[in-house]
Amino acid sequence: QVQLVESGGGLVQAGGSLKLSCAASGNIFSINAMGWFRQPPGTQRELVARITTGSITNYADSVKGRFTISRDNAKNTVYLEMNRLEPEDSGVYYCNAYLFNNRGWNDYWGQGTQVTVSS
């Protein structure tokens, strides 16, 4: 079993900041990329930011310059620092890990954490 446990969501006013964390544990041999996706109400899940083991990052255009993704490989943990938040950033944020175990390489997801930005 693989567990991805997220924390750090909540309610914040526009212009404020939040930091999300996600720790992966369980049946893990190696993790390649980790990232954050979000799903605003009534829309599909979309990539927010992603980081590889070698710290190569990519961001959605809408968050560039405001969000920063980072990773602690020793702790199998990924972070998302979100600054200058906008109401459009609201949604459920899901942690994702592409990892290798006895089942091969697969994507795993956290349970999601709610981020609400009030105007």
Side-chain angles (χ1 to χ4, degrees):
Q1 290 280 37
V2 174
Q3 296 84 35
L4 272 63
V5 180
E6 300 131 332
S7 61
L11 173 64
V12 65
Q13 288 189 333
S17 299
L18 284 173
K19 185 173 183 178
L20 306 182
S21 300
C22 171
S25 62
N27 182 20
I28 299 171
F29 296 170
S30 176
I31 300 179
N32 185 343
M34 298 186 78
W36 292 93
F37 289 69
R38 68 187 178 192
Q39 188 165 16
T43 68
Q44 292 186 336
R45 194 174 297 186
E46 61 184 13
L47 173 70
V48 176
R50 197 165 179 263
I51 183 168
T52 69
T53 305
S55 297
I56 297 172
T57 59
N58 65 294
Y59 295 91
D61 287 342
S62 61
V63 308
K64 285 180 181 176
R66 300 188 296 121
F67 291 11
T68 302
I69 190 169
S70 60
R71 179 172 168 177
D72 185 333
N73 291 328
K75 296 181 178 179
N76 288 341
T77 299
V78 64
Y79 307 94
L80 184 68
E81 186 165 357
M82 305 184 291
N83 297 313
R84 304 200 312 274
L85 282 160
E86 303 169 353
E88 293 74 22
D89 295 317
S90 296
V92 179
Y93 281 66
Y94 295 93
C95 175
N96 168 267
Y98 184 64
L99 61 86
F100 183 75
N101 57 20
N102 59 340
R103 297 184 176 186
W105 286 101
N106 288 288
D107 277 306
Y108 290 85
W109 296 89
Q111 78 285 356
T113 185
Q114 179 69 46
V115 172
T116 302
V117 184
S118 63
S119 57

